Amino acid sequence: MNIVADIAKGERLTFLELFQQKHYDVEIPIIQRDYAQGRASSREVREVFLDALFNYLEEGLPHRDLDFIYGSVERQDDGLNRFIPLDGQQRLTTLFLLHWYLATLTGNQAAFQSTFLRRQRSRFTYETRSSSQEFCDALVAAVIDLGQLLPPDEGKQNRLSKTLRDRGWYYLSWDQDPTVQSMLTMLDSIHARFHSRPEFYGRLTSRDNRVITFLMLPLQEFGLTDDLYIKMNSRGKPLSPFENFKARYEQHIDELPWKNAGDYTLDFGDGPVVVSRRTYFAHQIDTTWADLFWNYRGVGGPYSSFDKELMNFIRVILSAAYALQKSAGKDETLEYLFGTQVVSRRPDYSDVISYHNYQQFGALSKKAFKLLTGTFDCLSNGNQPIRVHLPDTFHFDEQVVFRKVLDHSLSQEQRVQFYAYTGFLIEHKGDITGLTPWMRVIYNLTVNTVIDGAEEIASALRSVKELLPYSADILNQLTRLKTTAVDFFYRRQVQEEQLKAHLILKTPEWGQAILAAERHGYFLGQILFLFEYSGVLEWFEQHGHCNWSVAEDLAFLSAFQHYTASAGAVFATIGTAANKDFIWERAVLTKGDYLPWLTAWRRNFLIRPRDRDYSWKRLLRLPPPSAHADDIYQQAQQRDLVKQVLDDPIFNREDLRGSLTLICKNRPSDWRRYFIRKPALIGYCSQGYIRFFQSEHNIRLYKHSQQNHTQVELYTYDLWLRELENKPLGLPFDYCYYQDVRTGDEQPGIRFTELKLGRKTYRMELDYQSEGTTFEFRFYKEGGKTSLEAYQAELTTVLEAQELEWYEQDKHFWCLADTATKAMEKLLALSKALAELKATL
C-alpha cells in the first residue's frame, strides 16, 4: 500500500465537520500514547503549533491544511460512527481544546455543547484511561467565566488550569493522569495566546471560509490492517526531534515562494508521475533516503535509531546552505549551526536543532531545500551504504567522513570537503569523471589553509561553490585562473595548485612525481618549497607557464625529485625516535638562526611536528606575495637554511643520522653552539619556546609556552647539565640543584645549600649576568643579611684567598668568572678550600 499515491482520495474537513457533517465521535484508542503537546518538556512544539494556528486565524485564508489525519471508522452500538485516529491524535486534541476555549471566551458554550456533548458524555474522548474520559466529559459540560479566573501561582501562567482544578467536579486523582495534565498545560498556553482575540471563534467555526482544515484518510479505503496499526502506534514514545522536524518541514515546503512547479517525479509502479516538492520530500524521506540511513543506524551509539543521524545530516546541509547565502562577516547563527567551540559553551546551545530553531535562523530557504534534496539524492544507493567513488582514501575517505557527518564530529576542513564532494555529485548529476583530481585540489586547499571558526568555514564554502562549475575539469581551469580568482584559500597554496596543474598536464612523469611528494605524511599537499628549491617556482613566476625546453624539463624534474627524496627522508623522522635528540634541528642551526619569532621576545625550535603555527611545515610555507618585504626576505633566508643542509656535501639521505651528526660537529661561536652541543637544552623546551631578553646573552628556556611556567637560563643550565647534574664532584655542600623560576623578574641558576661550618650554615648561588656576560658567585650566611663580623674569621680568610670580595650593601661575598670553564675552575677550587676548612671546624 502506498498512501502517497492515493492522497487525492483524502477528504478536506474542518474539526467541526468531523462531528457535524460526518457525524463521527472521535476516540483516541488505548494503544495510542498520552497527549504529548501539553507536556512541560514539549514547550517548543506546543508554541510552534499554537503560533501556526494563531497566524492562520489572523490571516483568515481558507484551507490551511494541517496535513493528513489517518484512522479507521467503526460502527457503534447506537448506530453512530466512531473515528479512531491512527495519526493526528495530537493535532485533533489541540483543536478540541482550542474550540472549547474560544467558545467559552465568546459565550458560545451552549453551541459547543450541542455539538460535543451527547447524553452527558463528550464526543471527543480518550480510551487510554478512564480518568482521561472523565475529564473530557467534565470539561465539555463545564461552564467557566474566563473573566473570573483565579490569580496565578508565582512565576507561572496557570490561571485557567488553577481555576479548573478548583472546581468541585475536578478529581484530585486526575493529577496523576499525564493526558489530563497535558490538556491543562495546553489550555494555559491557549489562554495566554488567544485571550484577546474573540473574533477567532467565528473564523474557526465558519462553514463558508474554512480556515483550518486537514485531509482525512479512512484506513479501510486503503486496506490497512490492524497489524500495521499496532506497528505504527505501539511505541508509546514521544515523537523524536526528527519526526517533529519532518512534519513541520513538509508543511513549510509548500509555504516557500516557488515560481514554478519544479520537475520532481516519483515512480509508484506505473511509470514516473510529476509530484509537488512537498510530496517528493515526504515520499523520499520515508523510503529511498531512509533506506540509506538504515545502514548507519547506531553510529550515534549502540541503542540509537537513525533519527539522530538524520538530524545531524540535515544540520550539516542546512548550515552549509545558510552559510552560502550569507555575506562575509561574523554571524552568531553560523556559530550555532556549525556548533563551534565558542558557541557550544552557551547555556542555550543544543546539538539537536529543531524546526523552530531553523525557522528562526532563516535557514529553511528555497536554496536550502534544493541543496538538502540534492544531497540526499546524490548519496542514496538503494538499500546499500553510500557508493565509494574514489580510488583510495588519502584525499577524502567517503565512508569515514559520512559517518562523521552522522555523528556530528566533522572537522572544519572535512565540513568543507564534504560540501565539495556532494556538490560535485549534484553539479554533474552523478557523473564522477574528474572527481579524483577535484577532491585532490580541495584537500590541498583546505588542509593548507587556516579554517578556524564559522566565518572561515562559510568563506571556504562560498569559494568552493564558485569553483564547482569547473570541478569536472579543475586542472585545466586552474591553468587559466588568476590566483586572486579563488577567494579565501591561502594565496600561495592556490598558486601551488596552479603550478602543479600546469606540470601534471605537461607530462605523466611530472604527475607521478608531484602526487608522490604530496602524499608524504608530513607535507600533505604543501610542496611549493620543493619547487622553490629546484628552481621551478622562479621560472613559473617569471613566465606564467611551464613551456620550457626538453633539456630544462629533465633538469627541473631531476632537481625536484632530488629535493623530494632528501626532504622526504628528513621529515619522515620528525616527531619520531629517529630524531629524539633533535639531530635535524641542531644540523639546521649550524647553517644559521632558523627560529621564527612568536612575539617581540619569544621564538620557537619547531620541535612539535603538527603545531599549526610553529612547525617545520609552517616554516617551509612561502608567505603571500602581499606580505611585508622584510618578512618575505627573512622567511626566504630561513627556508634557505633547510636547503643548505640538504645541499651539504656531507648530507646523505641513505645515512641520515650519521651525516647529520657529522654536520653538527661544525658549531658556530654564538648562542647556537650550546644547543647544537647539548640537545637536552632543546629537550627542556617541551613546546619549543625560548626567550631572548634584548640580546643573545640573556636567553631563557621555557618549559611550556608561557612565562608563568617554569623557565631556566641558557648558560647556567648548560653548565649544570654538562658539569654538575648527577656528577660526584665531592662538593662540601649538602645539596646542589638547579633553581628554575616562573617569572622574568626572578633569577634562575645553580644553588649550593647547607654548608655547615661549626654552628653556622652557609649557601652559595651561581648565576649568569647578561650585562657583563659573566658568571657570578654569591656566598651567603643562611638566615638573612648579616654583617661581616658574623662570618667566622677562618671562613673569611678562605673566601678572600679564593678572590671573593665582600659586598657590603647585600652582605655577601662575590666574584665573577667570564667563561664557563673558569667558573668550573673557581667552583672546584673554592669547594676544595671549603671542604678543608669544614674538616677543621
Side-chain angles (χ1 to χ4, degrees), residues 100-344:
W100 177 88
Y101 178 82
L102 289 177
T104 302
L105 178 67
T106 57
N108 286 289
Q109 290 166 311
F112 177 83
Q113 290 172 348
S114 68
T115 297
F116 289 94
L117 195 64
R118 180 187 293 120
R119 295 193 291 273
Q120 300 304 309
R121 299 294 298 272
S122 173
R123 294 179 64 195
F124 180 92
T125 190
Y126 270 71
E127 191 189 5
T128 51
R129 291 180 177 85
S130 60
S131 53
S132 301
Q133 296 175 353
E134 294 165 356
F135 177 77
C136 290
D137 294 342
L139 184 67
V140 172
V143 177
I144 301 293
D145 184 354
L146 295 180
Q148 300 294 323
L149 299 180
L150 295 175
D153 293 334
E154 184 176 355
K156 296 183 178 180
Q157 291 185 335
N158 66 337
R159 296 186 66 193
L160 179 52
S161 62
K162 185 177 181 181
T163 301
L164 293 174
R165 283 191 173 96
D166 189 58
R167 289 293 187 265
W169 49 261
Y170 185 89
Y171 292 93
L172 292 179
S173 61
W174 293 351
D175 285 343
Q176 308 305 315
D177 186 325
T179 290
V180 174
Q181 298 313 302
S182 290
M183 286 183 173
L184 291 172
T185 301
M186 177 59 81
L187 285 170
D188 283 330
S189 295
I190 289 174
H191 176 66
R193 192 78 173 90
F194 291 84
H195 70 277
S196 62
R197 304 304 294 266
E199 70 274 17
F200 282 1
Y201 176 77
R203 298 177 190 176
L204 181 64
T205 59
S206 173
R207 296 182 179 181
D208 299 325
N209 184 43
R210 301 150 75 212
V211 177
I212 296 177
T213 57
F214 47 80
L215 292 174
M216 195 189 83
L217 293 173
L219 297 183
Q220 290 89 339
E221 296 185 23
F222 301 98
L224 297 183
T225 66
D226 290 340
D227 289 341
L228 176 62
Y229 181 86
I230 293 171
K231 179 180 178 182
M232 294 180 66
N233 290 276
S234 61
R235 297 176 302 160
K237 299 177 181 178
L239 293 178
S240 70
F242 167 69
E243 290 168 329
N244 277 312
F245 172 86
K246 181 168 72 77
R248 296 293 292 118
Y249 186 59
E250 288 173 7
Q251 181 178 345
H252 173 79
I253 294 169
D254 277 348
E255 298 171 355
L256 291 169
W258 303 106
K259 292 183 179 179
N260 53 59
D263 56 354
Y264 293 89
T265 61
L266 292 171
D267 191 339
F268 300 114
D270 298 325
V273 177
V274 176
V275 296
S276 69
R277 294 175 176 85
R278 175 178 179 170
T279 301
Y280 183 79
F281 182 89
H283 179 268
Q284 293 293 86
I285 199 70
D286 285 334
T287 56
T288 305
W289 300 340
D291 288 343
L292 170 67
F293 285 85
W294 184 255
N295 292 283
Y296 296 94
R297 61 193 184 280
V299 168
Y303 303 107
S304 69
S305 68
F306 61 76
D307 282 16
K308 179 179 178 181
E309 286 80 7
L310 263 169
M311 285 302 288
N312 287 337
F313 177 86
I314 290 170
R315 179 177 184 170
V316 169
I317 308 307
L318 293 183
S319 60
Y322 179 87
L324 292 169
Q325 298 175 61
K326 301 298 289 185
S327 57
K330 188 172 179 59
D331 188 316
E332 285 293 325
T333 296
L334 271 178
E335 297 280 352
Y336 197 102
L337 288 172
F338 289 140
T340 61
Q341 290 184 352
V342 174
V343 78
S344 62

Side-chain angles (χ1 to χ4, degrees), residues 436-546:
T436 297
W438 166 251
M439 290 311 299
R440 179 191 139 267
V441 170
I442 292 298
Y443 172 86
N444 291 343
L445 291 175
T446 53
V447 169
N448 296 299
T449 300
V450 175
I451 305 177
D452 264 341
E455 185 178 345
E456 288 82 6
I457 298 172
S459 296
L461 291 171
R462 288 190 289 269
S463 191
V464 171
K465 181 182 178 183
E466 293 299 315
L467 287 174
L468 271 171
Y470 317 107
S471 53
D473 191 21
I474 189 61
L475 294 182
N476 276 305
Q477 184 63 28
L478 284 171
T479 64
R480 295 188 289 265
L481 280 175
K482 292 183 178 179
T483 306
T484 54
V486 183
D487 292 334
F488 176 71
F489 292 112
Y490 187 59
R491 285 283 177 266
R492 282 292 192 180
Q493 192 64 40
V494 176
Q495 179 193 33
E496 178 178 330
E497 297 312 311
Q498 292 175 311
L499 171 54
K500 289 188 287 194
H502 279 277
L503 293 171
I504 291 171
L505 294 172
K506 185 178 181 65
T507 67
E509 290 76 17
W510 270 111
Q512 294 168 7
I514 288 170
L515 295 179
E518 283 185 343
R519 287 172 176 256
H520 189 283
Y522 195 75
F523 304 151
L524 300 179
Q526 181 195 297
I527 58 172
L528 192 60
F529 75 98
L530 296 175
F531 293 115
E532 179 186 40
Y533 289 175
S534 56
V536 173
L537 178 61
E538 182 180 5
W539 169 283
F540 180 70
E541 290 185 329
Q542 288 179 359
H543 299 85
H545 59 75
C546 298

Side-chain angles (χ1 to χ4, degrees), residues 590-717:
T590 67
K591 305 300 181 183
D593 177 7
Y594 73 85
L595 277 67
W597 290 93
L598 174 61
T599 64
W601 45 273
R602 280 190 303 169
R603 306 181 71 185
N604 197 280
F605 280 110
L606 312 181
I607 59 175
R608 301 178 72 191
R610 301 300 175 189
D611 190 286
R612 191 191 72 180
D613 298 317
Y614 291 93
S615 65
W616 287 103
K617 183 175 170 67
R618 184 62 178 265
L619 180 138
L620 293 171
R621 188 177 80 170
L622 277 67
S626 59
H628 192 280
D630 290 344
D631 292 334
I632 292 175
Y633 175 78
Q634 180 186 10
Q635 292 180 45
Q637 294 297 106
Q638 291 172 328
R639 288 193 308 279
D640 188 63
L641 297 178
V642 174
K643 183 174 183 293
Q644 288 182 40
V645 176
L646 302 181
D647 289 342
D648 193 306
I650 299 175
F651 179 82
N652 181 359
R653 62 176 179 264
E654 302 300 329
D655 181 20
L656 188 62
R657 185 168 184 81
S659 62
L660 292 177
T661 300
L662 291 175
I663 291 174
C664 286
K665 293 186 179 297
N666 181 26
R667 298 168 189 164
S669 59
D670 61 11
W671 60 271
R672 291 172 291 149
R673 67 188 298 268
Y674 293 88
F675 294 101
I676 297 169
R677 178 180 62 189
K678 195 68 176 177
L681 291 171
I682 301 177
Y684 178 85
C685 311
S686 63
Q687 296 181 4
Y689 292 95
I690 66 174
R691 174 173 177 172
F692 282 69
F693 287 79
Q694 298 180 341
S695 77
E696 68 175 69
H697 297 293
N698 195 346
I699 300 176
R700 296 282 180 95
L701 316 185
Y702 281 14
K703 187 68 174 176
H704 299 290
S705 61
Q706 299 299 322
Q707 180 172 278
N708 58 0
H709 290 283
T710 56
Q711 52 187 276
V712 297
E713 187 276 327
L714 171 61
Y715 301 105
T716 50
Y717 194 61

